Amino acid sequence: MLQKKVAVCNQEFENSIRRGGLYFDGDILEIDNHCFYFEHYLYEMEKTTEQYFHDFMVNKKEFVEKIKGEFCLVDYDILENTLFVATDRLGKEAPWIYQKGETLILVNDFWRGIELIKPQESDIDWQTVKEIIIHGTAIGNSTVVKNYEFVPAASMGEVKLNESLEMNYKRYWKFKFQPDPSIQLEDAADQIHKLFNETFALMEKKFPKGTKFGVGLSGGWDSRLVVAYAKKHHLNIVPYCIGEKYSIFPLPTNGYYVVKKLAKYFRLNNFTFIPYNGESYIQKMADDVLLAPLKGAETSIGCRSCVPDFDIMLNGEMGGEFFGEFTSRFSELLNYNKENIGEYLLKYLSFTQLEEMIFTPQEKEYVKKKIKNYVGQMDTDDRFDIVYRFWLEIYAARSKCGFFETVYGTKERYSPYLNPDFLDYFCTWDSKFLCDRVLQRKFFMKYFPKLSRIPDESAYAPLYWREMNVKNVPYQFLYGLRQFVFKSSLRRGVWLKRDREFYELLKTVVKKNHKILKKHFPGLDVKKFLKENSRATEKLVKMLIEVDTILNYHVTDRRAFINNKYGNEKE
């Protein structure tokens, strides 16, 4: 099921219908002098849109606060001439709003908004472009077009069009750790197991028996959990992995060895390993630009056309973070307080090598100021609260199409970690559960002891031997050595630096955007930047193509435009 579309504007546009003081297009329900749009996923009861509308009208605030999972809601009261919008807790389905002068536009399709805005070069927000290149996302709700912003996560907004065009937002939920001292590691592991079972039981019940569930079995701990529960609940899974098969032919990479071992363990005879370069870079880049325009580039491992066919995507999105990925540098985190923790956030979550080639000193300071202001407004001094809230509201929000295993949002997708009940429970954990991933280790060793002994593709030993004690040191050394010799199958930075096709694409993009580069990136040495910061260079290429595509908003086939302008000129 693909996302339904909605477009709202206070000015007439092609194929729109007028209702009251606004023009509409898309999957709008017209009922009782209202234009109503509501898109939700998995965790809500199955009702008709009419039934949801009547529930909404009883008490709007209460209705929004009780919605589980991801959703987008838009309501226009024709008689009151009032537009209302609401987003889910994590902003996964957040629409975009454009407010400038006498123009108001609300859409849940980025490119449809571009068509209505018709941006000129002066409308490009280069600060945001640069933030995406270095930080992988905008630090805030901005997009690469000025005055075109995300509706904030966990927010309800309303505008009375007779009085103003400025949407006023209210937060109805904020992330906050509220540790329950009575919860022990054993209790947490048991409750996680229960919640995961509930999520997969719900999918087993909701979707027809023949539904195919795609799983990106990357070799990590989160994806193997997804397979384990999907198998337990008899889901028809289509497993695959994108990566590098050989370190030195004919020796396979450590990552390939791990996923093949997992496929054998789960008896996945239909498992597919897809070479990261199985698709041309220009085709992957077009997908990245058009399907995930406001997230960091996933071009190196996109390969969308090579992925086997399925109906629903299952992945472990957010699993690493909820199991303590952010606390791997816990000792370093202790050196920061609320006043300077922004430095830690940028250092940990960004590709900052040679960032001075992208940011001017003033632009870099502006980013720091934004983060400092953002953190300063939080009603907590707790380091864990700050780090996780920043990540949830800035990085995790709006990321539905920004993760390679989501197939760029062309498939409906679910993760057991996005179960709203799991998020509520996570907020009750003691922070010590996250340090060194002790809860993750406890969970696996209790419920999946055999899986805990199968390594992932990282340089670490399997969870079974991960605890820091003398007897585990030899295992940790041997697994680290194996990884050093046989390499990961996801060495994205290495691929980008050595891949001739990517380098040719980079040269083409630089050549055709030399005026923009000279004007907005005067300190950029492209070859040096690629050598020191290949992942950010990937984002640079993406954003330059994206800006060009935005400024050519009038083209009817954007994919053809990208292919024709930036494809291999020798072909």
Side-chain angles (χ1 to χ4, degrees):
M1 181 181 72
L2 296 180
Q3 183 189 49
K4 296 175 182 177
K5 303 297 182 185
V6 60
V8 184
C9 185
N10 64 341
Q11 299 176 18
E12 186 175 8
F13 60 94
E14 188 176 1
N15 297 323
S16 65
I17 57 171
R18 181 172 183 173
R19 295 294 181 266
L22 294 178
Y23 294 86
F24 290 85
D25 185 24
D27 299 286
I28 292 288
L29 170 69
E30 297 184 52
I31 181 171
D32 297 345
N33 290 309
H34 283 255
C35 294
F36 184 71
Y37 171 90
F38 181 57
E39 180 77 340
H40 69 92
Y41 296 86
L42 192 61
Y43 299 105
E44 282 298 312
M45 293 175 60
E46 289 302 319
K47 297 181 180 181
T48 65
T49 307
E50 289 88 345
Q51 289 172 320
Y52 278 120
F53 170 75
H54 290 302
D55 292 345
F56 168 74
M57 291 301 296
V58 172
N59 188 318
K60 296 180 181 180
K61 182 176 182 292
E62 186 176 295
F63 177 84
V64 169
E65 290 175 343
K66 288 184 176 180
I67 299 175
K68 291 188 172 184
E70 302 165 17
F71 73 91
C72 174
L73 187 154
V74 178
D75 177 66
Y76 174 58
D77 186 327
I78 296 174
L79 297 181
E80 296 293 330
N81 200 20
T82 300
L83 182 65
F84 179 93
V85 61
T87 59
D88 59 83
R89 288 181 179 186
L90 301 180
K92 296 288 186 181
E93 289 296 322
W96 293 270
I97 189 166
Y98 179 81
Q99 299 170 102
K100 183 181 179 182
E102 298 300 313
T103 302
L104 173 68
I105 298 170
L106 179 69
V107 293
N108 67 342
D109 180 320
F110 175 81
W111 292 102
R112 186 60 191 277
I114 294 299
E115 293 170 1
L116 299 180
I117 296 168
K118 300 178 174 55
Q120 305 301 309
E121 188 172 344
S122 59
D123 293 313
I124 300 300
D125 185 340
W126 287 101
Q127 175 72 33
T128 296
V129 170
K130 295 179 179 185
E131 288 175 12
I132 294 174
I133 293 170
I134 294 297
H135 305 303
T137 187
I139 309 300
N141 294 310
S142 62
T143 73
V144 297
V145 175
K146 296 173 184 176
N147 305 300
Y148 189 32
E149 298 185 339
F150 285 98
V151 173
S155 294
M156 292 182 281
E158 191 169 51
V159 55
K160 295 184 178 181
L161 298 169
N162 291 333
E163 302 173 5
S164 170
L165 293 182
E166 187 70 27
M167 185 73 74
N168 295 308
Y169 298 109
K170 291 183 179 180
R171 294 294 300 267
Y172 65 84
W173 179 85
K174 288 184 179 180
F175 172 86
K176 186 173 181 61
F177 270 120
Q178 295 178 309
D180 181 346
S182 69
I183 298 175
Q184 302 300 309
L185 276 175
E186 188 94 10
D187 305 323
D190 293 342
Q191 183 65 7
I192 292 169
H193 182 59
K194 177 179 178 292
L195 290 169
F196 281 13
N197 270 319
E198 289 175 355
T199 295
F200 284 86
L202 189 59
M203 284 187 277
E204 183 182 12
K205 179 181 179 181
K206 178 174 180 177
F207 297 107
K209 194 167 185 177
T211 303
K212 296 179 182 178
F213 293 87
V215 178
L217 186 59
S218 65
W221 298 101
D222 309 314
S223 64
R224 68 183 71 185
L225 272 185
V226 169
V227 174
Y229 284 100
K231 292 277 286 186
K232 178 181 179 180
H233 289 275
H234 313 291
L235 301 185
N236 178 21
I237 62 175
V238 180
Y240 67 92
C241 178
I242 300 173
E244 183 179 31
K245 187 171 183 178
Y246 299 108
S247 53
I248 301 175
F249 187 83
L251 300 177
T253 60
N254 185 54
Y256 179 74
Y257 161 79
V258 169
V259 294
K260 289 296 288 186
K261 191 175 182 71
L262 287 169
K264 183 178 181 180
Y265 172 85
F266 286 116
R267 299 179 182 177
L268 302 175
N269 297 325
N270 59 338
F271 172 76
T272 306
F273 190 90
I274 302 168
Y276 76 91
N277 54 2
E279 186 176 274
S280 72
Y281 266 96
I282 189 60
Q283 186 173 343
K284 294 198 287 185
M285 188 62 75
D287 276 334
D288 211 341
V289 167
L290 298 178
L291 300 175
L294 296 167
K295 297 300 291 185
E298 302 287 358
T299 310
S300 50
I301 47 177
C303 292
R304 189 170 68 94
S305 66
C306 303
V307 171
D309 182 52
F310 57 84
D311 305 301
I312 307 290
M313 182 79 228
L314 301 179
N315 62 33
E317 184 179 353
M318 292 187 173
E321 292 81 4
F322 285 146
F323 265 144
E325 181 177 312
F326 286 156
T327 59
S328 61
R329 301 183 183 183
F330 180 63
S331 59
E332 184 180 348
L333 177 58
L334 294 177
N335 295 322
Y336 294 87
N337 54 35
K338 188 173 184 179
E339 183 67 21
N340 62 5
I341 200 170
E343 298 173 22
Y344 173 87
L345 295 171
L346 290 180
K347 182 178 179 181
Y348 188 73
L349 295 170
S350 307
F351 299 97
T352 55
Q353 302 95 319
L354 298 181
E355 63 178 318
E356 64 275 8
M357 287 190 177
I358 302 297
F359 285 123
T360 64
Q362 294 79 12
E363 289 166 338
K364 186 176 178 179
E365 285 303 311
Y366 183 66
V367 172
K368 291 181 178 180
K369 183 178 179 181
K370 281 206 292 186
I371 293 179
K372 186 174 182 178
N373 290 341
Y374 174 84
V375 172
Q377 293 172 6
M378 292 186 185
D379 54 353
T380 180
D381 293 326
D382 184 272
R383 296 178 182 90
F384 283 93
D385 253 2
I386 293 171
V387 170
Y388 273 91
R389 189 180 298 185
F390 178 82
W391 173 72
L392 283 168
E393 296 181 357
I394 301 296
Y395 275 81
R398 313 179 296 263
S399 64
K400 185 172 184 176
C401 301
F403 184 57
F404 79 99
E405 288 182 349
T406 65
V407 199
Y408 294 116
T410 60
K411 304 284 186 179
E412 189 174 347
R413 68 91 184 86
Y414 298 109
S415 164
Y417 298 95
L418 294 178
N419 181 332
D421 293 332
F422 178 87
L423 178 57
D424 287 338
Y425 188 60
F426 170 77
C427 292
T428 67
W429 296 355
D430 191 306
S431 57
K432 67 184 180 184
F433 291 178
L434 306 175
C435 300
D436 197 30
R437 300 195 182 206
V438 293
L439 176 54
Q440 185 184 50
R441 188 164 61 249
K442 178 71 175 180
F443 176 75
F444 266 91
M445 292 179 70
K446 179 170 184 178
Y447 287 104
F448 302 98
K450 291 183 179 178
L451 277 179
S452 75
R453 291 173 178 260
I454 298 176
D456 62 12
E457 65 159 21
S458 74
Y460 299 106
L463 287 173
Y464 187 85
W465 290 285
R466 194 77 63 89
E467 187 176 3
M468 294 305 296
N469 58 49
V470 175
K471 73 173 186 176
N472 287 341
V473 170
Y475 295 101
Q476 295 169 1
F477 173 77
L478 289 173
Y479 278 104
L481 180 63
R482 180 185 181 88
Q483 171 73 346
F484 176 78
V485 174
F486 294 100
K487 312 302 181 188
S488 163
S489 68
L490 292 172
R491 297 186 299 157
R492 302 169 64 177
V494 174
W495 305 340
L496 293 166
K497 281 186 279 192
R498 76 181 184 195
D499 196 301
R500 187 68 188 173
E501 186 185 348
F502 176 75
Y503 185 64
E504 290 299 322
L505 175 61
L506 172 61
K507 286 201 305 183
T508 300
V509 171
V510 168
K511 176 182 176 182
K512 295 190 175 182
N513 290 276
H514 67 279
K515 290 183 179 179
I516 280 179
L517 286 168
K518 185 176 181 181
K519 180 177 180 181
H520 297 286
F521 303 87
L524 179 63
D525 181 329
V526 175
K527 289 184 178 180
K528 186 175 181 180
F529 195 66
L530 173 63
K531 182 178 179 181
E532 298 295 329
N533 208 341
S534 56
R535 294 285 297 281
T537 306
E538 181 185 24
K539 295 177 176 62
L540 171 68
V541 171
K542 174 181 176 178
M543 296 314 298
L544 289 173
I545 293 177
E546 185 171 312
V547 168
D548 194 9
T549 308
I550 288 171
L551 295 179
N552 285 276
Y553 58 83
H554 55 276
V555 300
T556 55
D557 188 338
R558 297 187 186 92
R559 188 174 297 276
F561 168 79
I562 293 171
N563 281 320
N564 293 336
K565 186 165 184 177
Y566 295 105
N568 192 336
E569 295 177 323
K570 296 179 182 179
E571 294 180 353

